[in-house]
Amino acid sequence: MSSAFARFMASETGPKTVHFWAPVLKWALVIAGINDISRPVEKVSGTQNLSLLATGTIWTRWSFVIKPKNYLLASVNFFLAGTAGYQISRIINYRKSEGDSPREIVNYLINGPQKPKIDTETVIKA
């Protein structure tokens, strides 16, 4: 009868495999997302967080479909989707407080802040 530690070391998702180390290193993305909570909302990227939300959601589901089932991968992706979703909600709430319409909020999330158009007539006259 082997110890729990020995079984863990020899398992298909143990520390001798990429199935262990890839999720462990992916926790850095979750930590970065948590760290961004203190960042001003104007500096948070909507497109980046939309992609992290999609990645986290897709891979959380996939972690239960693949063999061997990888609960460590599922947990990191669940938290990745959660932190990205929180950041997106911060952006949405901020844009609402600025008076944006739902269409403008979606545009902001996908395209980021719009640069003001330059009036070429004013530039030419100057």
Side-chain angles (χ1 to χ4, degrees):
M1 190 180 255
S2 61
S3 70
F5 181 74
R7 286 191 310 270
F8 168 68
M9 290 296 289
S11 76
E12 293 178 310
T13 57
K16 294 182 180 178
T17 69
V18 71
H19 303 293
F20 176 81
W21 290 106
V24 165
L25 295 174
K26 198 169 186 178
W27 278 103
L29 291 173
V30 176
I31 293 167
I34 292 169
N35 195 32
D36 279 351
I37 291 171
S38 62
R39 185 179 222 193
V41 73
E42 306 89 30
K43 303 280 185 186
V44 177
S45 170
T47 52
Q48 175 182 330
N49 281 291
L50 285 172
S51 65
L52 289 172
L53 177 66
T55 299
T57 304
I58 292 166
W59 281 99
T60 298
R61 172 69 180 117
W62 186 249
S63 301
F64 295 110
V65 174
I66 59 174
K67 297 210 188 301
K69 287 184 176 145
N70 195 334
Y71 298 107
L72 181 58
L73 184 63
S75 67
V76 71
N77 282 298
F78 176 80
F79 282 100
L80 182 64
T83 55
Y86 178 73
Q87 295 295 1
I88 291 169
S89 70
R90 284 183 63 210
I91 294 170
I92 290 170
N93 289 333
Y94 170 72
R95 298 311 302 177
K96 278 183 184 178
S97 72
E98 293 289 309
D100 285 359
S101 68
R103 179 177 291 226
E104 291 171 324
I105 293 171
V106 170
N107 184 44
Y108 182 86
L109 281 171
I110 295 171
N111 299 316
Q114 300 298 309
K115 296 177 183 173
K117 292 186 178 184
I118 297 173
D119 184 11
T120 55
E121 289 182 27
T122 306
V123 173
I124 292 171
K125 291 178 185 176

